[in-house]
Amino acid sequence: MKIGLFIPCYVDQFYPKVGIATYELLIKLGCDVRFPMKQTCCGQPMANSGYAHLTKGCDANFIANFSEFDYIVCPSGSCVLHVKDHLHDEKQEELAAEMRKKVFELTEFITDVLKVDHIEGNFPHKVGMHQSCHGQRGLKLSQMTELNAPFFSKPGQLLNKIEGLELVSLSRKDECCGFGGTFCVTEEAVSVKMGLDRIKDHEKHDVDYITGGDMSCLMHLEGILKRQKSHIKTIHIAEILNSSTIKI
């Protein structure tokens, strides 16, 4: 299967190692992966700020770059959800609708499409899993705690199989970190307070790392951790999984 690797702007600019880890992981899983060089922002920041009408160029460019692929995979739940919900093109609406169904977040693609449930490896650290809002509530990557329903977590399912990795059970499993894209700029004080609260939960459980599927949320938490001179580090789930040996 031909996979188009969709890398968010902030990953490309600030955390390229996450994009590289995602690429290498998909290759290890037997995928034919290509990175379209002319891809740009998917338009999410503009849409979240009330300027969705200005994203037509982003939509057209996304379609031009990714229409040839069987699947489009991205290490960011928020960007994936934006494309799934908002990719349109008046001139190619049928194609846009088809592509919205092909876009997958990384752990969703691994568990649901590739049907991989066991990744062997060693990561001898205590880890807290931050469930980002878009991934959890939009893409249904894990169960919401307010629902009286069986628990599941697609990223947790993969992490739990890594030797030496102790995945802690947080007190508030699905609490927002406060990033929220442009929210952290327009509502800085509230955003920081939410981030501090999120970190306290991880500190209470004495984790070594905070991981997640959205580098944007981890970037927000990382900034707070560095200002606090905390020993806790952030790491994208792709980097943990890529350091392991794949077993299908």
Side-chain angles (χ1 to χ4, degrees):
M1 60 179 71
K2 288 178 62 178
I3 309 300
L5 182 59
F6 165 31
I7 298 298
C9 312
Y10 58 90
V11 171
D12 179 67
Q13 294 296 311
F14 303 123
Y15 300 95
K17 61 182 181 178
V18 174
I20 293 169
T22 302
Y23 173 81
E24 291 178 346
L25 177 60
L26 291 171
I27 291 293
K28 290 176 183 177
L29 289 166
C31 300
D32 177 9
V33 188
R34 310 291 172 85
F35 178 78
M37 295 300 292
K38 294 183 180 180
Q39 63 178 290
T40 60
C41 178
C42 65
Q44 182 189 178
M46 288 180 283
N48 286 352
S49 301
Y51 296 96
H53 62 288
L54 298 179
T55 65
K56 291 182 180 179
C58 295
D59 290 347
N61 189 65
F62 189 92
I63 291 171
N65 276 276
F66 289 101
S67 60
E68 67 176 283
F69 297 103
D70 300 315
Y71 294 96
I72 304 157
V73 180
C74 174
S76 169
S78 62
C79 293
V80 167
L81 184 63
H82 172 76
V83 173
K84 279 185 176 291
D85 286 351
H86 299 288
L87 184 67
H88 295 283
D89 190 314
E90 295 173 354
K91 299 177 181 178
Q92 308 177 84
E93 188 53 36
E94 188 173 331
L95 176 58
E98 181 184 340
M99 290 180 66
R100 291 197 297 269
K101 299 175 184 177
K102 294 181 178 181
V103 184
F104 288 84
E105 184 272 341
L106 178 62
T107 61
E108 176 187 33
F109 180 73
I110 292 173
T111 58
D112 293 1
V113 178
L114 298 182
K115 305 296 183 183
V116 172
D117 63 0
H118 192 167
I119 293 182
E120 291 187 340
N122 189 279
F123 193 76
H125 302 285
K126 203 171 182 180
V127 177
M129 175 73 200
H130 174 65
Q131 303 280 6
S132 299
C133 303
H134 286 88
Q136 183 171 41
R137 301 179 183 281
L139 299 177
K140 307 296 189 297
L141 299 182
S142 62
Q143 186 59 273
M144 295 170 277
T145 57
E146 68 267 22
L147 297 182
N148 184 18
F151 175 77
F152 71 90
S153 172
K154 295 172 185 178
Q157 170 186 329
L158 296 173
L159 290 173
N160 273 319
K161 300 294 178 69
I162 303 296
E163 185 180 346
L165 190 153
E166 180 184 350
L167 188 60
V168 305
S169 180
L170 298 168
S171 301
R172 300 175 69 89
K173 293 182 176 62
D174 50 8
E175 187 174 75
C176 178
C177 71
F179 176 68
T182 54
F183 176 81
C184 70
V185 178
T186 58
E187 298 290 347
E188 179 186 356
V190 178
S191 174
V192 171
K193 181 61 169 68
M194 293 173 72
L196 288 167
D197 289 345
R198 196 76 212 99
I199 286 171
K200 285 179 182 176
D201 194 359
H202 291 270
E203 287 176 334
K204 185 171 70 175
H205 291 83
D206 194 29
V207 304
D208 302 311
Y209 286 90
I210 300 175
T211 193
D214 268 280
M215 202 60 227
S216 52
C217 296
L218 294 176
M219 176 173 63
H220 175 58
L221 296 175
E222 179 185 47
I224 297 173
L225 289 167
K226 284 185 175 180
R227 285 172 174 80
Q228 292 181 327
K229 294 181 170 52
S230 173
H231 74 279
I232 299 174
K233 299 177 182 178
T234 59
I235 183 170
H236 192 280
I237 190 171
E239 296 176 273
I240 296 178
L241 298 178
N242 186 51
S243 66
S244 308
T245 302
I246 305 302
K247 180 180 180 181
I248 301 177

